Amino acid sequence: MNFFGHDYLSGFRRIDLIGNRYHHPQHRHLNQNQHQYQYHWREQEPQFYLKETFLWKQRKGSRVSTINDWLQIQIGGTEDVKKKKPNNQNRIKSTKYTLLTFLPQNLLEQFRRIANFYFLVMTIISLLIDSPVSPMTSLLPLVFVIAVTAAKQGYEDILRYRTDNVVNRSPVTVIKNGVEAIIQSQNVAPGDLIVVERDCDVPCDLVILRSTDPHGKCFITTANLDGESNLKTLTVPRDLPTVPIEEMHKLGMIECETPGTDLYSFNGKIELAGGEGRVLPLSSENVLLRGSRVKNTECVIGCAIYTGMTTKLQLNSRLTRNKTASSETYVNRFLIFILIALIAIVTLLYFLKRYNELFVIPKLTYLGPAADGYSVKQFLQDYLSFLILFNYLIPISLYVTIELQRVIGGFFMEWDNELYEKETDQQCIVNTSNLNEELGQINILFSDKTGTLTKNEMNFQQCSIAGHKYNYKKTRLEEAETKVLSDINKFSMDQKVFFQALAICHTVQVATSMTEVAPVENAANKQETIKSGPPEMYSISDITEESHNSSQHSELNVSNTIETSLSVHPNGVNATVTSSSDVNPLLFSDDSYKVERRKRPQVVKRSPNFARSNKVHIASPGETPDSGTSANGHSSVGLHSPPIMRPISLQFQRSTSERDLPQFGEAHNGAALGHRRAHSYGAPNAYLTSPVGNQTPPVGGLFRAGSTVSRESYAAPTFTRQPTMLIRAESQRRKQEIQQTLCLLDYQASSPDEKALVEACANLGLVYTGDDDEVLRVRIVPPHLDYKRPINSGKPKEDAFHRLHVLEFTSDRKRMSVIVRDEGGKKWIYTKGAESYVFPLCANSSADMVVKTDSHISDFARLGLRTLAIARREISDAEYQEFVSSLAQANSSLENRKQLSEECYSKIESDLDLLGATAVEDALQDDVADTLVSLQAAGIKIWVLTGDKVETALNIALSCGHIPPDAKKYIILECKSRDDLLVHLNVLEREIVFGIGQECALLIDGKSLGVALAEAPKEFRDVAVKCTAVLCCRLSPLQKSEVVALIKSSNENYNTASIGDGANDVSMIQEAHVGIGIMGREGRQAARCADFAFAKFCMLKRLLLVHGHYHSVRLSFLVLYFFYKNILFMGIMFLFQFHTLFSSSSVYDSLFLTLYNVIYTSLPILFISLTEKPYTEEKLMQNPKLYKKNTDNKQLHWPYFLMWTLFAVYHSVIIFYFAYCIFSFNNVILNGGQTAAFSCFGTLLIWAVVIIVNLKLWLESMYLSFWYIATLVLSILAFMVTTVIYNVINLDYDTDIYWAYNNLLASLPVWLYVLLTVIACLLPDFTLRMLKRGLNIKTFSIFPGKQRKLEMRRKFESTYL
């Protein structure tokens, strides 16, 4: 809703003068009575208002001061216009860098890596000393690696910056000095008056100052805060004076506590301006938190108190931290091992050189005098020369290859069609590709419940009525035993009373979102209007002879005379002049009721503060300005609006972006320009990049055109000839209209169970149409017709009940009740709640019914259904008056008010007659049970952390397979001390130890978990990780992250993952090693902050079992191969030193040192690390146990690394000494008959190395493709081509290899050498590979390591027990 018209397209703006409407005589009377209550309140708690010394602290924006940790905020902001107001006070930030900090911070992060830092040091050293090789061999690879990594991380941070801007730059409506303005969300400051409309998210923490609800209420959902999507109620502060909007900024000052993490507590007060200086208390019921969404309330105005990163939602979110994969730990271990080996090799070679200089070189006089080995300069020169010579033992290109493999692998996940949801056009999103391989290492999965495991959509399934069990079949009931179907026409009295109780025993509200179009007067225009809608809405009527005329007497037909708000038809149909009704204009055909409704032209329940003074009429093309006549012939007075006027009806449509508005597509015709709804971020579909279709049923589908011929006279011949066809068509039409009605009624409930029950009643024919001044109306519309009855046997029946009291549901009472008065004047109390709390309240006469119903409820519970018991009884007038007086006395009491009220409730909720029970299913996500069972089979323990109630969470855990059906369930509730908790944990541990093989599940509530986290974290962690499944209920977002952090601190080094869909899961997602978000209905903050995100929970199975497995195998292969090829490369250099008097000479040319890791060996390993598949995708999905083969980075353990190292040493010995033998015995190997030069020796070695390492990779690969083989061939050819080009150019840069390689290519002995070397090197590899396959010999068993010792120890301990 918008109070001030504004048109983005035209730039014009209008301001309605509605200030005088706020001064109502009733309000004036209320204001006079407020002083007594206020002074009385101040006498009770005088310390709350003691003035203290002011310690002023200037904040950005509005004046915000602190009074000993209390904040003072001026409502409406500061009036000092001289000071420029800083921006970005409400900005949220999830990025790691800025333009200024990117370069230094990124370089600091990169040089923390051992390899990068090592090569930086080596590059500096090579520039300072007489290096044996060119310094460029170290500098160029280092610059390349640093640049690629920085570009990748910068790109990911830019993506985070863009997603932040979607939130920070979303439009927000504020009121400044009584004038409405549209600003960006990031510019909201404390003290600003914010306008939040229906179905929009709250941009910051607000104190509610005004609401369109006549009782000052605001209904919200908090799925992004605590995971619950049920409706919650907030209120405007009691006794807050009503002032005009243009005067609201002068209302006074808000004092409140500094922001904290507790979502459910708030302390503050409002000091009203003026001479009286009254003070009003503020509590959490008056605060609208960021992340909540306004529902069923057209508009609220609030004052911003906490903004940006100080909101309670952001304080519950952990700061963005750098996550690193566990594989990097193993890579660093290998690097340290290689570095130690490098230092050992260099030290050994240095001392061997000193030995030769002392004892060998003096004997070789032709070498001249030996160098002075005792000088420090010579020591540094020799030692550092060896260090530079062998620096390629550290694979500098390993990191850049890993980065490329991760980024491209992330694209592969995003392109996976199995992770794409067609309905919402959502693909998988990879926000942090650094953690791809971590998906294959998960040990413990933390999951949210609401919106993650469940859809939070309740479906009515079964019921028990008068001791008989029934199955719900949409529009009929099926008796469980006889399988007999019955509809509302054949209901027994017990069945009618039961569903009547369900239709009125609730607190459901009706929020109509329909767009009503009054019919045009002549029939031709009627048909044209109807047929302009989508054709599928008329398929049922087309099968009968009345396809072109529908009845005026249909039970669901809306009267032509019902006045509606001005609307624009989505298909371009001209709107007509109407006004609106205060209750839902649906399901009425009683003429007397029409007249009554015309007397009250309001749209919904609205405060007089928000009433509009004018109505708008848009004339049709053929209508003159004076032809303002409504469809019923009555003149309607209205103002003619210019095109820039905002249509009033838009405030009641549930559009959330300008694409959704009907006039958005019609803006170019100039006839229906409208206001783009100013909304907060995060509204539904706000992030969609493609236009979203209208979500409500099209106009015309429900409202059937009136006919000049009555149904009886027109349909009589057809009824005589083909009664079955007509009755089926009419029944089908009624069922279709009921479904459309349910869509348009838009039930809003405090519990999804209530909504499911009311919708089930409507489908059966008891349609709850809303409450009008506490009068509940239930319209009886049979969805099926009877052959014995005519189609229209009179006016449809409607029952009305006056609701006298609502006894609210609480966690202690576990039930709710309503007291109503029926049309006969009788008073009834209807009770609905948990059977364990309702059965004791039933009269003795219902004892047999209780036994039967309890048996049925047990059957329902075994199916995982949520159950409620229903009871009622009649109340006498005397008993009712006694209840009213005792309740009033309890409410006026200042002490034990809650206890006295509950005693009144319990007194009247007694001697009830049990009616039956309901069974409702919480719709699970698609394939959620299969996903959880598969993950558990893969060795992943699942913890469900939810803010939901204990009972609800337990039912869902059982139905979705989280807790195995035969597992022992241990429940810890309401622990208040460490001793109580330890008693429970000791008992649970004994159950686990002595119940060997028995699965055990733990359920703990938030209060007990708080004690565990604060006083006994290690004890709780050690016991909980032994359980098969853990269920934690009633947790705050911060507690969720604390649980994850506790498990991460274990010595077992568990790899954790968290999955959720709401903002309340962000802290848990960011704390875990891997954060996974689901793009839910209640916003996408979880998806934005997560490392990976997708649309459905069932996709997690493929993400972990397939992509996680593949990425773990691929990265392990990549790391081991890199160390292998560099050890082989440098092993030859090491052997060469023994034959050169340890002169620190290089056997390779500098070109080969530079290009070896960049061109010669990089492409094949990158390709196979993206495509390697040891198992097919289908096999991994069908056999989850294969996931265990890679957990704990098994393939990066020391046995595998040492095996690859041994092969590298063996290959280097074969390559070097085969070549050495050829050159030693007869080096006349060239075709010209001349001897081969030293350059030929080095070139021949590097040629053999390139061929061997590429063929070794081919041999170790499992998934071969033509493209992969092509990369291997191309790498070898790349070496040959670059070397041919290089050796034909006469450069004396490093070593002289002029024409050396060409001579080798022309020599037959050289080719024979290459062939023999390849066979000698790879024959053992091939033999071991065949033995492993044929005899099933594991490489792991050759080197028993820590893991095997642990397994042997566990076997011994289990045998001992």
Side-chain angles (χ1 to χ4, degrees):
M1 176 177 174
N2 206 340
F3 304 101
F4 307 96
H6 189 283
D7 192 346
Y8 281 95
L9 299 177
S10 62
F12 290 101
R13 183 179 183 82
R14 67 175 177 84
I15 299 180
D16 293 334
L17 299 177
I18 61 176
N20 294 331
R21 292 183 172 270
Y22 291 92
H23 299 284
H24 195 277
Q26 296 179 357
H27 295 169
R28 193 177 298 114
H29 176 70
L30 290 174
N31 292 338
Q32 293 173 359
N33 296 333
Q34 287 174 352
H35 301 286
Q36 294 179 349
Y37 293 102
Q38 194 59 44
Y39 286 118
H40 181 68
W41 189 90
R42 292 181 66 182
E43 289 175 1
Q44 295 298 321
E45 295 181 347
Q47 71 278 6
F48 188 76
Y49 300 101
L50 292 178
K51 297 293 182 183
E52 302 177 19
T53 305
F54 283 76
L55 301 176
W56 295 97
K57 182 188 292 184
Q58 294 295 331
R59 287 193 177 188
K60 296 180 179 179
S62 303
R63 189 185 68 172
V64 179
S65 61
T66 60
I67 320 168
N68 290 356
D69 295 332
W70 277 63
L71 304 180
Q72 269 202 342
I73 301 171
Q74 178 69 41
I75 297 178
T78 180
E79 298 180 1
D80 190 358
V81 297
K82 295 181 181 180
K83 294 183 179 180
K84 185 177 179 181
K85 184 176 176 180
N87 295 328
N88 302 335
Q89 294 193 67
N90 195 40
R91 182 175 182 83
I92 64 169
K93 180 177 179 292
S94 62
T95 57
K96 295 192 296 184
Y97 310 110
T98 64
L99 289 176
L100 293 178
T101 63
F102 172 71
L103 193 59
Q105 187 175 346
N106 186 264
L107 290 177
L108 180 62
E109 290 175 0
Q110 291 204 59
F111 284 119
R112 287 177 180 173
R113 289 177 168 173
I114 297 176
N116 292 347
F117 181 75
Y118 170 79
F119 266 81
L120 176 65
V121 173
M122 290 297 101
T123 302
I124 295 174
I125 292 175
S126 63
L127 293 172
L128 296 178
I129 68 170
D130 184 15
S131 175
V133 294
S134 172
M136 302 302 292
T137 59
S138 299
L139 182 61
L140 289 179
L142 178 65
V143 172
F144 177 73
V145 169
I146 295 296
V148 171
T149 306
K152 178 249 184 186
Q153 294 180 353
Y155 172 73
E156 290 182 347
D157 209 55
I158 289 174
L159 294 181
R160 285 190 288 267
Y161 173 77
R162 290 178 178 174
T163 55
D164 285 346
N165 282 341
V166 173
V167 176
N168 294 323
R169 296 180 181 178
S170 59
V172 174
T173 304
V174 298
I175 298 176
K176 296 181 181 294
N177 299 323
V179 180
E180 180 191 18
I182 308 296
I183 65 173
Q184 293 182 351
S185 175
Q186 63 185 358
N187 295 329
V188 172
D192 285 349
L193 294 174
I194 310 297
V195 179
V196 184
E197 302 180 19
R198 174 176 169 175
D199 287 333
C200 293
D201 286 354
V202 181
C204 61
D205 292 352
L206 307 172
V207 171
I208 304 175
L209 301 179
R210 187 152 303 169
S211 171
T212 52
D213 186 85
H215 305 293
K217 295 181 179 180
C218 172
F219 302 97
I220 62 169
T221 57
T222 57
N224 268 339
L225 291 171
D226 53 19
E228 296 185 5
S229 60
N230 55 311
L231 221 57
K232 293 182 174 63
T233 305
L234 303 178
T235 60
V236 174
R238 185 180 179 185
D239 299 333
L240 183 69
T242 302
V243 298
I245 290 181
E246 55 267 20
E247 300 293 330
M248 286 187 69
H249 63 285
K250 302 178 182 178
L251 199 57
M253 185 83 68
I254 293 179
E255 290 186 14
C256 61
E257 60 187 359
T258 54
T261 58
D262 192 348
L263 298 174
Y264 308 105
S265 68
F266 176 81
N267 292 317
K269 59 185 177 180
I270 298 180
E271 292 187 356
L272 299 177
E276 54 191 23
R278 289 190 298 133
V279 178
L280 305 179
L282 296 176
S283 66
S284 59
E285 294 181 352
N286 311 124
V287 178
L288 200 56
L289 298 181
R290 179 174 193 158
S292 54
R293 179 172 295 171
V294 175
K295 289 281 188 182
N296 204 21
T297 305
E298 292 302 321
C299 183
V300 294
I301 299 179
C303 177
I305 49 174
Y306 305 142
T307 59
M309 303 304 291
T310 63
T311 60
K312 289 181 178 289
L313 176 62
Q314 293 300 322
L315 291 177
N316 273 278
S317 300
R318 294 298 180 99
L319 296 176
T320 303
R321 63 181 184 87
N322 293 326
K323 293 185 179 181
T324 57
S326 58
S327 59
E328 292 198 10
T329 303
Y330 291 90
V331 174
N332 290 336
R333 291 176 183 174
F334 298 157
L335 286 173
I336 293 174
F337 173 81
I338 295 296
L339 189 59
I340 294 174
L342 171 64
I343 295 175
I345 290 173
V346 169
T347 304
L348 174 64
L349 293 177
Y350 172 76
F351 282 110
L352 289 175
K353 181 177 182 179
R354 290 290 300 131
Y355 175 83
N356 280 272
E357 288 178 346
L358 292 175
F359 301 104
V360 177
I361 292 180
K363 298 179 181 179
L364 305 175
T365 55
Y366 60 88
L367 293 178
D372 184 9
Y374 295 100
S375 67
V376 176
K377 180 179 180 181
Q378 187 62 36
F379 165 75
L380 293 176
Q381 174 66 35
D382 293 340
Y383 196 87
L384 295 179
S385 295
F386 281 122
L387 199 61
I388 293 173
L389 196 64
F390 288 93
N391 65 359
Y392 270 92
L393 270 176
I394 307 294
I396 179 66
S397 59
L398 171 62
Y399 283 114
V400 69
T401 307
I402 290 176
E403 295 292 342
L404 290 175
Q405 187 262 351
R406 286 170 171 171
V407 172
I408 301 174
F411 288 145
F412 282 179
M413 282 190 282
E414 292 181 346
W415 298 334
D416 188 353
N417 289 331
E418 299 295 328
L419 299 180
Y420 168 77
E421 188 189 28
K422 188 176 182 180
E423 296 177 3
T424 57
D425 191 27
Q426 291 295 337
Q427 65 180 15
C428 175
I429 297 176
V430 179
N431 293 325
T432 310
S433 59
N434 288 352
L435 304 176
N436 290 352
E437 64 274 11
E438 203 71 359
L439 293 172
Q441 307 300 323
I442 305 302
N443 305 118
I444 298 180
L445 173 68
F446 298 93
S447 175
D448 180 38
K449 182 190 74 68
T450 307
T452 304
L453 300 180
T454 68
K455 299 178 181 177
N456 207 33
E457 296 176 359
M458 303 299 175
N459 297 318
F460 184 62
Q461 295 290 336
Q462 300 183 45
C463 61
S464 174
I465 305 174
H468 297 279
K469 190 192 298 184
Y470 297 92
N471 297 321
Y472 173 65
K473 299 294 183 182
K474 199 67 175 178
T475 58
R476 292 185 175 93
L477 285 182
E478 178 191 69
E479 191 168 0
E481 295 181 1
T482 62
K483 304 298 181 182
V484 174
L485 293 173
S486 59
D487 57 29
I488 193 173
N489 296 315
K490 302 176 183 179
F491 276 2
S492 64
M493 182 55 64
D494 292 332
Q495 292 171 327
K496 290 181 180 179
V497 171
F498 178 80
F499 285 104
Q500 185 184 72
L502 295 182
I504 62 177
C505 185
H506 56 74
T507 56
V508 173
Q509 296 184 347
V510 178
T512 305
S513 62
M514 50 187 285
T515 303
E516 300 166 359
V517 179
V520 187
E521 292 188 29
N522 65 58
N525 288 343
K526 284 181 186 177
Q527 274 201 338
E528 182 181 352
T529 302
I530 292 177
K531 289 300 180 181
S532 63
E536 62 269 19
M537 303 305 297
Y538 312 101
S539 58
I540 299 300
S541 60
D542 289 341
I543 68 171
T544 67
E545 296 180 9
E546 34 182 18
S547 59
H548 62 287
N549 280 325
S550 299
S551 173
Q552 292 177 326
H553 297 278
S554 171
E555 286 85 350
L556 294 174
N557 188 29
V558 178
S559 168
N560 298 349
T561 60
I562 295 177
E563 299 178 328
T564 58
S565 298
L566 172 69
S567 63
V568 181
H569 195 285
N571 296 319
V573 181
N574 295 321
T576 55
V577 183
T578 53
S579 61
S580 52
S581 170
D582 59 340
V583 292
N584 293 285
L586 198 60
L587 308 177
F588 302 109
S589 62
D590 191 353
D591 295 337
S592 63
Y593 193 67
K594 299 172 192 173
V595 177
E596 179 186 356
R597 290 175 60 79
R598 281 199 294 270
K599 297 177 183 178
R600 294 167 292 159
Q602 292 181 346
V603 178
V604 291
K605 292 183 178 179
R606 299 180 56 190
S607 168
N609 303 337
F610 288 90
R612 290 186 179 271
S613 59
N614 54 0
K615 297 182 178 64
V616 184
H617 171 65
I618 297 179
S620 59
E623 184 182 359
T624 61
D626 296 330
S627 59
T629 306
S630 63
N632 59 2
H634 296 277
S635 175
S636 58
V637 181
L639 298 177
H640 298 288
S641 171
I644 62 171
M645 189 76 67
R646 176 189 180 187
I648 299 176
S649 66
L650 291 185
Q651 58 186 305
F652 309 110
Q653 294 181 6
R654 302 181 64 185
S655 301
T656 54
S657 67
E658 63 181 352
R659 295 190 188 94
D660 299 328
L661 299 180
Q663 72 271 27
F664 182 74
E666 302 171 337
H668 301 289
N669 58 19
L673 296 178
H675 183 285
R676 183 175 77 87
R677 178 180 182 137
H679 60 81
S680 306
Y681 71 91
N685 302 328
Y687 300 108
L688 298 180
T689 56
S690 58
V692 181
N694 195 359
Q695 299 297 319
T696 58
V699 179
L702 173 65
F703 309 110
R704 305 175 71 83
S707 172
T708 57
V709 184
S710 67
R711 174 176 291 276
E712 289 80 6
S713 62
Y714 179 80
T718 308
F719 181 82
T720 310
R721 293 193 303 267
Q722 294 178 338
T724 305
M725 178 180 179
L726 182 58
I727 289 177
R728 286 180 179 175
E730 180 65 19
S731 299
Q732 187 67 25
R733 181 186 64 77
R734 292 188 182 201
K735 286 189 287 185
Q736 183 185 15
E737 289 181 344
I738 288 176
Q739 291 302 313
Q740 296 168 357
T741 300
L742 291 179
C743 293
L744 296 174
L745 283 175
D746 188 16
Y747 290 136
Q748 298 287 338
S750 59
S751 167
D753 299 72
E754 283 194 337
K755 182 178 179 181
L757 296 177
V758 174
E759 288 180 345
C761 292
N763 286 321
L764 288 170
L766 295 172
V767 183
Y768 171 68
T769 60
D771 63 298
D772 182 12
D773 296 332
E774 298 299 332
V775 176
L776 310 178
R777 299 189 181 275
V778 180
R779 192 164 186 78
I780 301 176
V781 187
H784 300 279
L785 297 185
D786 198 343
Y787 288 100
K788 302 177 182 180
R789 302 179 184 178
I791 293 180
N792 293 285
S793 58
K795 295 180 180 179
K797 183 181 177 182
E798 181 177 80
D799 295 334
F801 300 87
H802 191 275
R803 184 165 56 195
L804 303 177
H805 291 279
V806 177
L807 314 185
E808 296 286 352
F809 175 91
T810 64
S811 58
D812 296 328
R813 286 166 32 82
K814 295 290 190 302
R815 63 186 182 275
M816 64 88 60
S817 300
V818 295
I819 301 176
V820 299
R821 184 178 62 240
D822 61 15
E823 294 173 336
K826 294 182 179 180
K827 296 181 179 65
W828 300 85
I829 179 171
Y830 290 88
T831 301
K832 175 179 64 179
E835 63 276 3
S836 57
Y837 288 81
V838 174
F839 286 168
L841 305 178
C842 294
N844 294 331
S845 58
S846 300
D848 294 337
M849 176 88 69
V850 168
V851 174
K852 294 180 181 179
T853 306
D854 189 44
S855 175
H856 293 164
I857 287 177
S858 299
D859 296 338
F860 299 154
R862 279 191 286 269
L863 298 176
L865 304 178
R866 300 155 60 102
T867 57
L868 292 173
I870 314 297
R872 77 161 186 173
R873 75 176 175 94
E874 187 179 353
I875 304 175
S876 64
D877 291 338
E879 187 178 6
Y880 174 71
Q881 292 301 329
E882 181 183 356
F883 166 75
V884 171
S885 61
S886 60
L887 183 62
Q889 184 178 0
N891 289 334
S892 61
S893 175
L894 298 178
E895 296 181 357
N896 300 325
R897 178 181 300 177
K898 182 179 179 181
Q899 181 180 353
L900 293 174
S901 299
E902 290 185 355
E903 289 178 358
C904 295
Y905 294 164
S906 301
K907 187 175 182 181
I908 200 169
E909 291 175 333
S910 60
D911 296 329
L912 301 175
D913 297 326
L914 183 62
L915 301 178
T918 62
V920 177
E921 177 193 30
D922 189 355
L924 298 175
Q925 293 280 0
D926 297 337
D927 299 325
V928 65
D930 174 67
T931 302
L932 291 177
V933 172
S934 298
L935 295 181
Q936 289 173 340
I940 300 175
K941 292 185 177 181
I942 300 173
W943 290 38
V944 174
L945 312 180
T946 178
D948 215 337
K949 303 182 182 80
V950 176
E951 298 86 351
T952 304
L954 181 57
N955 287 334
I956 297 302
L958 291 171
S959 60
C960 70
H962 169 229
I963 297 179
D966 56 346
K968 290 185 178 179
K969 291 172 278 294
Y970 196 89
I971 301 176
I972 302 177
L973 300 177
E974 301 294 333
C975 281
K976 299 180 181 179
S977 65
R978 184 175 188 270
D979 295 335
D980 294 342
L981 180 69
L982 291 179
V983 170
H984 284 286
L985 294 179
N986 290 334
V987 173
L988 176 59
E989 189 170 18
R990 284 197 296 269
E991 289 283 345
I992 297 173
V993 172
F994 292 106
I996 299 177
Q998 176 70 36
E999 295 179 320
C1000 188
L1002 170 63
L1003 188 148
I1004 186 170
D1005 66 343
K1007 184 180 294 185
S1008 304
L1009 185 64
V1011 175
L1013 294 174
E1015 301 181 18
K1018 294 182 180 179
E1019 293 85 350
F1020 170 74
R1021 179 194 63 202
D1022 295 339
V1023 175
V1025 294
K1026 298 177 183 178
C1027 297
T1028 306
V1030 179
L1031 178 61
C1032 304
C1033 308
R1034 306 303 289 176
L1035 302 190
S1036 67
L1038 200 57
Q1039 278 183 316
K1040 291 183 178 182
S1041 66
E1042 289 173 351
V1043 171
V1044 179
L1046 177 64
I1047 301 303
K1048 287 173 59 181
S1049 65
S1050 173
N1051 295 329
E1052 298 293 331
N1053 294 324
Y1054 293 110
N1055 285 298
T1056 62
S1058 295
I1059 182 169
D1061 71 318
N1064 61 314
D1065 304 316
V1066 168
S1067 57
M1068 173 180 72
I1069 288 173
Q1070 292 181 334
E1071 180 64 37
H1073 293 102
V1074 179
I1076 304 170
I1078 293 181
M1079 302 168 206
R1081 301 181 178 182
E1082 300 295 335
R1084 301 198 177 185
Q1085 188 161 351
R1088 290 198 309 270
C1089 298
D1091 304 307
F1092 306 90
F1094 41 76
K1096 290 184 178 180
F1097 180 81
C1098 61
M1099 297 177 180
L1100 179 65
K1101 178 180 177 181
R1102 180 175 178 84
L1103 186 73
L1104 297 184
L1105 300 188
V1106 177
H1107 290 285
H1109 182 94
Y1110 283 164
H1111 280 98
S1112 295
V1113 171
R1114 291 166 182 173
L1115 186 89
S1116 303
F1117 191 13
L1118 173 66
V1119 171
L1120 295 175
Y1121 176 75
F1122 256 90
F1123 282 106
Y1124 156 78
K1125 67 187 184 69
N1126 279 46
I1127 292 174
L1128 169 59
F1129 190 48
M1130 289 292 103
I1132 294 175
M1133 184 82 76
F1134 175 75
L1135 296 175
F1136 177 70
Q1137 300 304 312
F1138 286 88
H1139 301 276
T1140 59
L1141 292 177
F1142 309 99
S1143 61
S1144 68
S1145 300
S1146 174
V1147 71
Y1148 304 120
D1149 188 85
S1150 293
L1151 176 72
F1152 303 143
L1153 292 173
T1154 306
L1155 299 183
Y1156 177 73
N1157 284 317
V1158 177
I1159 295 179
Y1160 301 159
T1161 59
S1162 60
L1163 185 58
I1165 183 57
L1166 177 61
F1167 190 91
I1168 196 60
S1169 65
L1170 294 171
T1171 60
E1172 176 71 324
K1173 294 182 180 181
Y1175 303 100
T1176 63
E1177 300 174 6
E1178 293 77 12
K1179 188 172 183 179
L1180 291 174
M1181 293 288 285
Q1182 295 170 2
N1183 190 2
K1185 293 183 179 179
L1186 293 174
Y1187 184 82
K1188 299 179 182 179
K1189 298 187 69 173
N1190 290 322
T1191 53
D1192 195 28
N1193 292 285
K1194 290 185 177 67
Q1195 295 189 13
L1196 285 178
H1197 286 184
W1198 287 108
Y1200 292 93
F1201 177 76
L1202 294 178
M1203 176 66 75
W1204 281 83
T1205 302
L1206 287 178
F1207 277 119
V1209 173
Y1210 169 74
H1211 293 167
S1212 61
V1213 170
I1214 294 295
I1215 293 173
F1216 179 80
Y1217 281 106
F1218 271 36
Y1220 177 79
C1221 291
I1222 291 177
F1223 276 73
S1224 298
F1225 297 131
N1226 184 8
N1227 64 348
V1228 183
I1229 58 175
L1230 304 181
N1231 282 353
Q1234 70 274 27
T1235 59
F1238 168 71
S1239 58
C1240 293
F1241 181 70
T1243 305
L1244 181 61
L1245 289 176
I1246 187 63
W1247 187 13
V1249 167
V1250 170
I1251 294 175
I1252 295 297
V1253 295
N1254 281 284
L1255 293 181
K1256 168 69 174 176
L1257 183 64
W1258 188 351
L1259 189 63
E1260 293 293 332
S1261 303
M1262 302 286 292
Y1263 187 79
L1264 303 179
S1265 63
F1266 291 110
W1267 288 105
Y1268 172 53
I1269 297 174
T1271 60
L1272 293 169
V1273 175
L1274 286 175
S1275 296
I1276 298 174
L1277 291 178
F1279 164 78
M1280 299 176 69
V1281 171
T1282 54
T1283 308
V1284 166
I1285 296 174
Y1286 181 64
N1287 90 132
V1288 298
I1289 303 174
N1290 190 9
L1291 290 177
D1292 193 13
Y1293 173 68
D1294 192 14
T1295 58
D1296 185 15
I1297 66 166
Y1298 180 70
W1299 215 253
Y1301 188 58
N1302 290 355
N1303 292 330
L1304 292 177
L1305 290 175
S1307 173
L1308 182 61
V1310 170
W1311 286 98
L1312 292 175
Y1313 159 79
V1314 171
L1315 180 61
L1316 289 175
T1317 303
V1318 169
I1319 295 175
C1321 287
L1322 300 182
L1323 185 60
D1325 301 69
F1326 185 79
T1327 303
L1328 285 178
R1329 184 181 179 89
M1330 291 301 102
L1331 288 176
K1332 286 165 58 179
R1333 284 189 176 184
L1335 302 179
N1336 196 22
I1337 297 177
K1338 297 181 179 179
T1339 309
F1340 189 82
S1341 62
I1342 300 177
F1343 299 96
K1346 179 181 178 182
Q1347 187 68 24
R1348 191 179 181 190
K1349 291 178 181 178
L1350 288 175
E1351 292 179 358
M1352 294 174 62
R1353 182 180 178 182
R1354 289 171 185 168
K1355 289 181 180 179
F1356 174 76
E1357 290 177 348
S1358 62
T1359 307
Y1360 175 76
L1361 289 174

